[in-house]
Amino acid sequence: MTKAEIYKLLEEKQELFTEVSDRIWGDPELSLSEHRAAELYERTLSELGFEVEHGVAGIETAFSGKFGSGRPVIGILGEYDALAGLSQKAGELSPCEEVEGGHGHGCGHHMLGAGSLAAAWAVKEYLAASGESGTVIYYGCPGEEGGAGKAFMAREGLFYSLDAALTWHPGTANEIFTGTNNTSMQVEYTFSGIAAHAAGNPHQGRSALDAVELMNIGVQFLREHIPNTDCLHYAITNTGGISPNVVQSKATVLYMVRSNTVPRNKELLARVDNIAKGAALMTDTTFKRRFIDGTADLLPNETLERALYANMEEIPLPEYTKEERDFAAALDATCPNDGELPGIGAKYDPEIRRRVSELSDNGKAPLNDFLCPFFHSTNQEPGSTDVGDVSWQTPTAQISTATWTAHSPGHSWQNVSGGKTGIAHKGLMYAAKVLAGTAIDLLTDPKLLEAAQAEFKVAAAKGYDCPIEPDAVPVPVEEML
């Protein structure tokens, strides 16, 4: 069976995968609470002929679907968690909640999981038709948004058995997702004091809220004395109540600490821990520390990126109807536009910047309907992803496809509004074809896989330093709301 025949099968089956995407969109669940999404995927995988494992790595909403036997073993990663507070009606041109105070798929993980599922099914069909040695595994990875599901899975060594891993992410442009990124660790600090009447007997009280505020002040002073690669973010999740005449006996602050490597992040986190200890000493309170999650930096693999790009060039880009283009123009008009050109390469390479400027009408086009030029990078990009943890255990690469309008901001109501459109569906299926085609290349070209693994061996020579603390357990986002 040729790759062209596989792509035709995907087109014939696309309604199933876009329906899965739309169903997940319509039933958003937060990180590590994606029970209905996991059940839908497990049932669908079983019906499609995969061997399903529930509760992978001891995480209730993690699973896998396996088909085939022998090597190579190719993993395809899927996600399906939503974001809090981003409920939005589909197809609207202004903020309009679907459910008051509800959640929404502002990062497109409803598409990510479904597109990866489509790719895994296509590879399964290829293996079944060819009878060749090889295995494809779809990994249902929960909790990317503040749960680091893949990192907890990597802590159990789950991805060492793979020969390569592929994934994708919805986006505003068709390109290779390259470069490295920040590591990230989240820790919750809950201070306990003594309640008292703030006027009648304040001397008997010990304020947990004072401790949180003093901790935050200490961290603000720390900012001057850290490298510019490092970041410190916080949210006060419990102020201890709404009565100012009561000395607050409980207060909680959640910190996210970022640095360019896991060892440096651990050092920075230790400094933040010391500030928490100091705040407790200053206020005569105590505190409990709870590790929430952590993610590693990403190891880009140029060999796999070039293989992915070859398939992006080979497969025709989506074509859009007038109605889809009109909607894209109207929705994009609601988005901020700072004049930045699309694509990672345009930030660093003058020739790519010139070409992308031509293709995107100098960054003004509302829909990036072209393929960005190939660009490989080891530059550090902002943000963090638990795909990084996978990349330390097996050669890993990913792409982005245009599923949103050109200037749609990350984690926005515009992303949610456009998440069920034809534009979204076409981007999803284009990604599925690219991942499937690249996986088939890895199954049939031993030299390609050997080159990817040789590159990985050098990049990962110092070994995986897991950012998840040994005694940490996955914490659903709902527990912190």
Side-chain angles (χ1 to χ4, degrees), residues 247-440:
V247 175
Q248 294 89 345
S249 62
K250 290 280 185 184
T252 302
V253 61
L254 176 66
Y255 266 87
M256 178 180 284
V257 178
R258 300 188 204 250
S259 190
N260 57 344
T261 68
V262 170
R264 287 185 56 81
N265 206 333
K266 289 179 178 179
E267 292 173 3
L268 181 57
L269 181 57
R271 297 176 73 181
V272 174
D273 287 342
N274 283 335
I275 291 172
K277 294 173 186 176
L281 285 171
M282 285 188 286
T283 54
D284 197 18
T285 59
T286 61
F287 75 94
K288 289 185 178 180
R289 176 189 185 278
R290 181 167 67 155
F291 187 91
I292 303 299
D293 66 32
T295 62
D297 47 315
L298 187 69
L299 292 182
N301 189 289
E302 184 175 1
T303 303
L304 288 183
E305 289 176 359
R306 289 190 178 278
L308 284 164
Y309 194 79
N311 282 276
M312 295 184 87
E313 289 185 303
E314 176 185 297
I315 298 164
L317 287 164
E319 296 181 359
Y320 304 104
T321 65
K322 181 180 183 304
E323 290 75 18
E324 288 167 348
R325 290 185 178 276
D326 288 346
F327 174 77
L331 185 62
D332 200 61
T334 71
C335 301
N337 183 354
D338 57 7
E340 186 173 332
L341 293 174
I344 297 170
K347 292 196 295 184
Y348 301 106
D349 187 295
E351 178 55 30
I352 291 177
R353 186 157 53 246
R354 183 195 65 77
R355 180 61 178 147
V356 168
S357 180
E358 292 176 353
L359 292 168
S360 66
D361 189 20
N362 199 29
K364 293 182 289 187
L367 188 60
N368 293 321
D369 56 0
F370 56 89
L371 176 60
C372 292
F374 178 80
F375 180 71
H376 168 73
S377 171
T378 57
N379 293 314
Q380 186 174 357
E381 301 296 325
S384 307
T385 172
D386 57 6
V387 175
D389 296 85
V390 181
S391 76
W392 279 92
Q393 297 191 350
T394 191
T396 303
Q398 51 192 330
I399 65 168
S400 178
T401 69
T403 57
W404 301 313
T405 66
H407 305 98
S408 192
H411 295 190
S412 65
W413 67 264
Q414 288 97 336
N415 284 0
V416 187
S417 179
K420 291 176 66 178
T421 61
I423 296 168
H425 292 164
K426 290 173 180 178
L428 178 164
M429 293 306 299
Y430 177 58
K433 292 177 182 178
V434 172
L435 295 183
T438 307
I440 291 169

Side-chain angles (χ1 to χ4, degrees), residues 34-299:
E34 316 96 324
H35 298 284
R36 293 182 297 277
E39 192 278 330
L40 172 61
Y41 274 111
E42 290 178 24
R43 184 175 68 251
T44 304
L45 282 164
S46 181
E47 291 171 351
L48 291 173
F50 288 83
E51 177 187 336
V52 177
E53 180 182 352
H54 173 80
V56 167
I59 305 172
E60 185 65 23
T61 55
F63 56 90
S64 66
K66 177 181 177 181
F67 181 86
S69 61
R71 307 203 82 91
V73 182
I74 308 300
I76 298 180
L77 313 177
E79 301 170 14
Y80 32 87
D81 57 330
L83 289 156
L86 271 181
S87 179
Q88 167 68 30
K89 291 184 178 179
E92 295 291 330
L93 300 177
S94 61
C96 184
E97 286 185 319
E98 180 86 11
V99 177
E100 185 176 355
H103 313 315
H105 277 281
C107 206
H109 293 178
H110 63 298
M111 293 181 277
L112 197 168
S116 292
L117 174 66
W121 173 80
V123 178
K124 167 194 166 290
E125 292 298 295
Y126 174 83
L127 287 170
S130 69
E132 295 175 3
S133 173
T135 305
V136 61
I137 305 177
Y138 177 92
Y139 286 99
C141 305
E144 196 277 334
E145 300 287 359
K150 297 183 200 68
F152 279 97
M153 295 160 81
R155 186 180 65 174
E156 305 305 312
L158 198 68
F159 305 108
Y160 282 121
S161 61
L162 299 179
D163 291 299
L166 302 172
T167 190
W168 75 292
H169 203 287
T172 59
N174 301 300
E175 63 174 338
I176 296 297
F177 192 100
T178 190
T180 186
N181 58 359
N182 280 312
T183 68
S184 174
M185 296 180 186
Q186 286 197 102
V187 175
E188 179 186 75
Y189 302 88
T190 298
F191 290 86
S192 298
I194 300 173
H197 194 293
N201 58 328
H203 56 286
Q204 294 177 347
R206 301 291 183 269
S207 173
L209 184 57
D210 284 356
V212 165
E213 291 192 275
L214 285 167
M215 180 180 179
N216 292 344
I217 291 170
V219 172
Q220 307 303 2
F221 280 102
L222 174 62
R223 293 181 194 277
E224 183 183 358
H225 307 288
I226 60 177
N228 58 13
T229 54
D230 297 355
C231 300
L232 296 160
H233 321 286
Y234 71 93
I236 302 175
T237 58
N238 175 19
T239 61
I242 61 171
S243 299
N245 62 337
V246 175
V247 175
Q248 294 89 345
S249 62
K250 290 280 185 184
T252 302
V253 61
L254 176 66
Y255 266 87
M256 178 180 284
V257 178
R258 300 188 204 250
S259 190
N260 57 344
T261 68
V262 170
R264 287 185 56 81
N265 206 333
K266 289 179 178 179
E267 292 173 3
L268 181 57
L269 181 57
R271 297 176 73 181
V272 174
D273 287 342
N274 283 335
I275 291 172
K277 294 173 186 176
L281 285 171
M282 285 188 286
T283 54
D284 197 18
T285 59
T286 61
F287 75 94
K288 289 185 178 180
R289 176 189 185 278
R290 181 167 67 155
F291 187 91
I292 303 299
D293 66 32
T295 62
D297 47 315
L298 187 69
L299 292 182

